[in-house]
């Protein structure tokens, strides 16, 4: 059955290719987002040493970009060389970036848009939505209404100035400039060159992707939930100025130039599990949810690493060897629940004291 979105696309003369294909560019070439351990979250200080643990397989370099201006058939490291790593941390709805670049002419004296730029676009829920009013599906929708309803609301665009000297670090393309400030973003940069000189530049930052970030501000904003195995839409372009009024290249990760305004043209990135050597061999982990408050029915979810067997002690004299048990408590109380797991790497136990509190 054709979806409502598919019908809309047909009405405006665009092909319907299915939601998954619509929501990503080059769907057969999924890129990776590195998972940092919770005790090794990168410090945002412009020092790239925190990223040394990230394997080369996660690096997106200049060879994977194409110049949409067609001034350059391929990247020349003597002119512009770029390396990007993207990371995440389980439990935080943040995307971490390390941007390292060499440029033979750093252009950043203008207080406006004329600045070497790292333009990042993120679609945290693969909505594939347009994020620029000029690409709205309903051509009859008034410009003002389109700006209020879609300009960066479902996907977000950051023009990050490299370097930002005497100006804010980024411009948000939309009506929500608050997303580039704490507690939704943070940044730090390091460089020693002056305008017009060559040199190497390092930028560390993190941003919060949003399923909804409206013009009314953060009061109704909905952060994109990040979890292991999730695929998000993400893309970037490097806009290279060399002193002239027109840029010397628009180096795009997407095969579509208009990815800056259409989220369906972003690349697919997958949030990866911890790499071998960073994950523990075995670790008991679990969560729970009260399904029925009146009957005191609780569902327990195993989240352990390396487990092959499970033993639950529900704290009321009852036990279970199921991986994801459901238990009904007979009386009110504050319970100490213990999960013990075993596997090839040994055994592990995790108790939570009075987290399961029933009335």
């Amino acid at each position: 059955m054709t979806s409502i979105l598919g019908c809309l696309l047909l009405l405006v003369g665009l092909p319907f290719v299915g939601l998954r294909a619509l929501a990503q560019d080059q769907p057969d070439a999924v890129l990776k987002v590195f998972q940092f351990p919770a005790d090794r979250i990168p410090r945002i200080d412009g020092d790239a040493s925190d990223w040394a643990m990230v394997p080369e397989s996660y690096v997106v370099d200049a060879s994977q970009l194409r110049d949409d201006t067609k001034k350059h058939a391929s990247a020349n490291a003597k002119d512009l060389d770029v390396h990007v790593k993207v990371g995440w941390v389980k439990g935080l709805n943040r995307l971490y970036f390390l941007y390292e670049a060499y440029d033979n002419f750093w252009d950043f004296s203008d207080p406006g848009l004329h600045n070497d730029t790292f333009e990042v676009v993120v679609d945290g829920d693969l909505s594939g939505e347009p994020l620029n009013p000029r690409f709205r599906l309903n051509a009859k929708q008034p410009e003002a209404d389109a700006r209020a309803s879609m300009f960066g609301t479902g996907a977000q665009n950051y023009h990050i100035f490299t370097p930002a000297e005497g100006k804010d670090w980024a411009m948000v393309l939309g009506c929500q400039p608050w997303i580039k400030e704490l507690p939704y973003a943070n940044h730090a940069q390091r460089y020693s060159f002056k305008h017009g000189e060559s040199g190497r530049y390092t930028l560390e930052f993190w941003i919060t992707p949003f399923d909804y970030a409206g013009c009314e501000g953060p009061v109704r904003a909905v952060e994109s939930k990040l979890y292991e195995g999730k695929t998000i839409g993400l893309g970037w372009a490097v806009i290279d100025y060399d002193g002239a009024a027109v840029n010397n290249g628009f180096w795009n990760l997407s095969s579509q130039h208009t990815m800056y305004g259409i989220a369906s043209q972003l690349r697919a990135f997958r949030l990866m599990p911890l790499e071998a050597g960073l994950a523990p061999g075995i670790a008991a982990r679990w969560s729970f949810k009260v399904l029925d408050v009146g009957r005191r029915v609780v569902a327990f979810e195993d989240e352990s690493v390396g487990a092959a067997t499970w033993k639950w002690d529900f704290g009321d004299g009852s036990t279970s060897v199921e991986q994801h048990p459901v238990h009904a408590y007979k009386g009110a109380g504050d319970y100490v629940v213990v999960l013990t797991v075993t596997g090839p790497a040994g055994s592990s136990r995790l108790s939570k004291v009075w987290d399961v509190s029933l009335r």
Side-chain angles (χ1 to χ4, degrees):
M1 180 180 293
T2 302
S3 68
I4 294 175
L5 181 55
C7 293
L8 289 173
L9 291 173
L10 292 172
L11 286 173
V12 297
L14 295 175
F16 173 64
V17 291
L19 285 178
R20 184 166 180 79
L22 177 71
Q24 60 197 51
D25 175 68
Q26 305 173 53
D28 296 329
V30 178
L31 298 169
K32 299 189 297 183
V33 182
F34 176 80
Q35 184 179 156
F36 284 97
D39 61 347
R40 299 175 71 179
I41 299 174
R43 181 186 176 100
I44 305 302
D45 57 3
D47 182 350
S49 61
D50 292 344
W51 294 76
M53 72 180 82
V54 182
E56 285 297 309
S57 61
Y58 287 84
V59 175
V60 179
D61 61 23
S63 69
Q64 295 166 267
L65 309 179
R66 68 184 189 104
D67 181 15
D68 287 353
T69 69
K70 303 188 185 305
K71 296 175 182 176
H72 309 275
S74 61
N76 182 348
K78 294 182 180 180
D79 177 28
L80 179 69
D81 193 23
V82 172
H83 293 79
V84 183
K85 298 178 182 178
V86 188
W88 75 292
V89 179
K90 186 178 291 187
L92 296 178
N93 298 324
R94 297 176 179 178
L95 293 174
Y96 290 80
F97 290 81
L98 174 65
Y99 178 75
E100 298 177 295
Y102 168 83
D103 196 348
N104 67 340
F105 188 110
W106 286 102
D107 194 331
F108 56 96
S109 64
D110 188 278
L113 274 176
H114 186 111
N115 199 123
D116 286 332
T117 301
F118 181 45
E119 182 176 4
V120 176
V121 189
V122 58
D123 180 12
D125 61 354
L126 275 186
S127 67
E129 300 174 2
L131 62 144
N132 190 312
R134 64 177 287 201
F135 301 114
R136 58 188 179 273
L137 296 177
N138 180 6
K140 295 182 179 179
Q141 185 182 25
E143 175 76 12
D145 292 346
R147 289 180 68 87
S149 65
M150 64 183 294
F151 206 13
T153 57
Q156 293 79 49
N157 178 309
Y158 302 76
H159 277 60
I160 301 170
F161 301 119
T162 57
E165 187 169 293
K167 64 168 69 173
D168 202 356
W169 77 288
M171 177 199 74
V172 171
L173 191 62
C175 56
Q176 49 289 101
W178 48 270
I179 67 174
K180 62 182 176 179
E181 306 290 349
L182 285 168
Y184 306 108
N186 196 14
H187 73 285
Q189 59 183 358
R190 286 192 180 185
Y191 64 97
S192 59
F193 48 79
K194 297 179 181 179
H195 168 76
E197 294 181 344
S198 64
R200 297 193 176 277
Y201 173 77
T202 300
L203 170 69
E204 278 188 293
F205 67 97
W206 57 262
I207 57 176
T208 304
F210 290 88
D211 292 348
Y212 177 78
C215 299
E216 68 276 11
V219 63
R220 293 179 54 230
V222 179
E223 295 183 10
S224 301
K225 298 298 182 184
L226 302 184
Y227 52 85
E228 196 168 288
K230 183 179 184 180
T231 300
I232 63 173
L234 182 63
W236 55 76
V238 178
I239 307 172
D240 181 29
Y241 287 94
D242 284 352
V246 179
N247 69 65
N248 186 44
F250 187 99
W251 296 92
N252 198 343
L253 182 60
S254 171
S255 66
Q256 305 295 320
H257 177 72
T258 50
M259 63 87 198
Y260 60 84
I262 306 175
S264 62
Q265 296 176 355
L266 300 175
R267 296 291 299 273
F269 278 74
R270 183 161 297 129
L271 306 182
M272 301 301 291
L274 288 171
E275 288 285 319
L278 295 177
I282 189 164
R285 298 171 183 167
W286 57 274
S287 61
F288 72 96
K289 182 177 182 180
V290 179
L291 300 181
D292 189 320
V293 175
R295 296 171 54 221
R296 303 185 183 93
V297 178
V298 182
F300 293 90
E301 182 78 11
D302 169 59
E303 298 171 353
S304 301
V305 175
T309 67
W310 302 263
K311 182 177 180 181
W312 296 83
D313 181 337
F314 299 119
D316 63 349
S318 301
T319 61
S320 174
V321 294
E322 296 180 20
Q323 184 178 4
H324 307 293
V326 175
H327 180 62
Y329 286 87
K330 295 181 179 179
D334 300 313
Y335 296 96
V336 177
V337 178
V338 184
L339 171 62
T340 302
V341 297
T342 62
S347 64
S348 177
R349 182 191 74 186
L350 177 62
S351 67
K352 295 189 179 184
V353 180
W354 290 5
D355 274 22
V356 180
S357 182
L358 303 169
R359 296 293 177 262

